[in-house]
Each structure stands twice: as C-alpha cells, then as structure tokens.
C-alpha cells in the first residue's frame, strides 16, 4: 500500500472543510499557472500554507498509524511516496523547502521528515516492510533541488543503511511517455545506474521502458 500526501499539489475544493493545502513553505508550485487535480481534472492549485513544526511531527505519527492500518488490513508492506513533487518531495528539495526549523535549511534537515517517517513505521512494523519511491533528479511541480544529482546521491546513500525492503526510482525521460500532466521537467538521462551503486538492497526502476531497454538496464545491473 502506497502512503501518499499531495502537499501543495491540491485545491481547496478537494480539502476537508475547504481549507488550503499544506506544504513545507508558502510557495506555489513552480509551473505557470500552477495546476492540481480537481473535480474536473487538472485545475488551478490553491496557494498553500506552511506546516508548523508540531504539525510536521503529527504527520510523522499519522504515517506510522497508516502503516499499522495497512498491516491490519492484510497488506505485506507500505511504500512511502517521496517522489514527483508531492509533500515528501517538497520537503526534500531546496527549491520548495525554505524552512528555518529542524525540517529545513541543510540537506540533512530536509531529509529529516522522510527519515523520521521510516523510523516511526519501522518501530510499529519492520524496516523490511517499507519501500521508498523517489524521482531522483526530477523537477516536478516546482519541487526538486538546485543540485539534484548531489541531493539524490546523499539521500540514497543514507537510505542504504535503513534496512528497507526496496528503493523505487521513478525516472521519466524526455520522449519516453506519450502524455504527461502539467509541471513536469524531464531529464535526458537516468540517474538510476549511479544510485544503484549506493544502495545494496533491491531496486525498482521505471518509467518508459520497452523490452530492449529494460533488458539492457538489467544487464547493466
């Protein structure tokens, strides 16, 4: 079961009580105009409000509670969605996280939200029941890092020691998919081969493969 929070990629019309969406910082998604899923498809996003420190801590606990619910429902594990410009990715990236508390500033602080969620779920279940999905080097909905390669390498190296079930690397390359939602900046090459050397557990890689390119990726390790 994937555990996912949209963060600022949302509309007030889709939120409980019509409240604005939340984000690490009060920054709109980067594309112009910013879009989010709405009742009639992709529509203008609502400007977000910044989570305070206590709210971030409460979200960590809510992820752990969701993992417990997934286990009780019979799922084999959970995947933490930390990709594609949604809330976790918004915390990870320097372009979308301008916080000055312990969840912002340095790369280590920006990773803290994800790492605390992994730790909280592992305490309730087990680290080897957790997968993490990243979109390394991508810039989705204005998220991402000013130095995306270095950021991805640092994060994956840290995740290597967490005892995860797997790492899921979602890389959409230019020309690889026929239709994309607004706000996606595509890469010309995959980072997965470099990141694979930093992570000793199982790795899942997508997207846009065909049989030949998938086999080539397997052959390259």
């Amino acid at each position: 079961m994937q555990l996912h929070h949209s963060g600022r990629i949302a509309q007030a019309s889709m939120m409980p009580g019509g409240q604005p969406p939340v984000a690490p910082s009060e920054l709109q998604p980067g594309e112009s105009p910013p879009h989010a899923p709405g009742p009639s498809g992709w529509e203008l996003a609502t400007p977000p409000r910044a989570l305070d420190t206590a709210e971030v801590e409460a979200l960590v606990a809510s992820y752990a509670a969701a993992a417990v619910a997934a286990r009780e429902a019979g799922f084999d594990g959970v995947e933490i969605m930390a990709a594609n410009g949604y809330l976790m990715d918004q915390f990870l990236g320097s372009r979308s996280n301008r916080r000055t508390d312990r969840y912002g500033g340095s790369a280590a602080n920006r990773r803290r939200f994800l790492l605390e969620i992994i730790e909280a779920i592992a305490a309730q279940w087990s680290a080897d029941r957790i997968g993490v999905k990243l979109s390394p080097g991508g810039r989705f909905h204005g998220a991402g890092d000013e130095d995306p390669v270095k950021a991805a390498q640092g994060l994956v190296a840290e995740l290597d020691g967490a005892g995860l079930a797997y790492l899921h690397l979602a890389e959409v390359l230019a020309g690889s998919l026929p239709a994309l939602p607004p706000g996606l900046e595509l890469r010309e090459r995959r980072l997965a081969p470099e990141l694979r050397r930093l992570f000793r557990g199982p790795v899942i890689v997508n997207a846009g493969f065909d049989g030949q390119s998938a086999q080539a990726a397997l052959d390259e390790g």
Side-chain angles (χ1 to χ4, degrees), residues 23-58:
S25 305
E26 290 184 0
L27 297 171
Q28 277 278 64
E31 73 269 16
S32 181
H35 285 75
S40 302
W42 288 89
E43 302 176 3
L44 292 178
T46 303
R49 69 169 181 84
L51 292 155
D52 65 34
T53 303
E55 288 177 311
V56 179
E57 294 168 349

Side-chain angles (χ1 to χ4, degrees), residues 79-123:
E79 179 179 270
I80 301 170
M81 173 62 154
N84 297 358
Y86 296 108
L87 183 67
M88 199 80 63
D89 202 18
Q90 293 161 27
F91 269 87
L92 291 170
S94 60
R95 299 175 76 201
S96 47
N97 185 341
R98 306 290 173 80
R99 301 176 69 89
T100 57
D101 66 356
R102 66 194 195 95
Y103 293 102
S106 68
N109 279 358
R110 296 196 306 273
R111 294 195 287 261
R112 190 187 304 274
F113 183 39
L114 172 58
L115 297 175
E116 285 187 354
I117 287 172
I118 293 171
E119 183 179 2
I121 294 175

Side-chain angles (χ1 to χ4, degrees), residues 55-169:
E55 288 177 311
V56 179
E57 294 168 349
L59 276 173
V60 172
S62 76
Y63 270 84
V68 170
R71 180 186 62 195
E72 293 176 351
F75 286 92
D76 296 312
V78 293
E79 179 179 270
I80 301 170
M81 173 62 154
N84 297 358
Y86 296 108
L87 183 67
M88 199 80 63
D89 202 18
Q90 293 161 27
F91 269 87
L92 291 170
S94 60
R95 299 175 76 201
S96 47
N97 185 341
R98 306 290 173 80
R99 301 176 69 89
T100 57
D101 66 356
R102 66 194 195 95
Y103 293 102
S106 68
N109 279 358
R110 296 196 306 273
R111 294 195 287 261
R112 190 187 304 274
F113 183 39
L114 172 58
L115 297 175
E116 285 187 354
I117 287 172
I118 293 171
E119 183 179 2
I121 294 175
Q124 296 293 327
W125 199 346
S126 176
D128 62 3
R129 297 289 181 154
I130 304 169
V132 172
K133 180 176 181 178
L134 305 176
S135 49
R139 292 186 173 183
F140 298 86
H141 306 296
D145 203 88
E146 298 300 334
D147 190 343
V149 175
K150 182 179 178 181
Q153 290 170 336
L155 175 57
V156 170
E158 193 155 5
L159 291 176
D160 180 58
L164 299 173
Y166 64 85
L167 180 64
H168 180 175
L169 302 175

Side-chain angles (χ1 to χ4, degrees), residues 158-220:
E158 193 155 5
L159 291 176
D160 180 58
L164 299 173
Y166 64 85
L167 180 64
H168 180 175
L169 302 175
E171 296 191 276
V172 182
L173 301 187
S176 64
L177 295 177
L180 297 169
L184 273 63
E185 300 176 35
L186 304 184
R187 293 182 55 80
E188 296 296 330
R189 67 179 182 91
R190 295 188 188 276
L191 282 177
E194 302 168 40
L195 300 178
R196 206 281 167 270
R197 293 192 287 271
L198 300 174
F199 188 83
R200 290 166 289 183
V203 173
I204 300 169
V205 184
N206 74 64
F209 284 102
D210 58 20
Q212 184 176 359
S213 60
Q215 187 60 53
L218 291 171
D219 293 342
E220 292 166 5

